[in-house]
Short mmCIF file of all heavy atoms in Angstrom, two decimals:
data_model
loop_
_atom_site.label_atom_id
_atom_site.label_comp_id
_atom_site.label_asym_id
_atom_site.label_seq_id
_atom_site.Cartn_x
_atom_site.Cartn_y
_atom_site.Cartn_z
N THR A 94 26.51 -43.42 41.52
CA THR A 94 25.84 -44.28 42.50
C THR A 94 26.18 -43.82 43.91
O THR A 94 27.20 -43.17 44.15
CB THR A 94 26.24 -45.75 42.33
OG1 THR A 94 27.65 -45.88 42.54
CG2 THR A 94 25.87 -46.24 40.93
N SER A 279 29.83 -52.52 48.64
CA SER A 279 30.26 -52.83 50.00
C SER A 279 30.25 -51.60 50.90
O SER A 279 30.25 -51.74 52.14
CB SER A 279 31.66 -53.44 49.96
OG SER A 279 32.62 -52.50 49.51
N ALA A 350 17.68 -66.25 35.39
CA ALA A 350 17.62 -64.79 35.30
C ALA A 350 16.34 -64.25 35.93
O ALA A 350 16.36 -63.25 36.65
CB ALA A 350 17.73 -64.35 33.84
N ALA A 371 16.48 -84.98 25.74
CA ALA A 371 17.19 -84.40 24.60
C ALA A 371 18.61 -84.93 24.52
O ALA A 371 19.12 -85.23 23.43
CB ALA A 371 17.19 -82.88 24.70
#
Side-chain angles (χ1 to χ4, degrees):
T94 61
S279 66

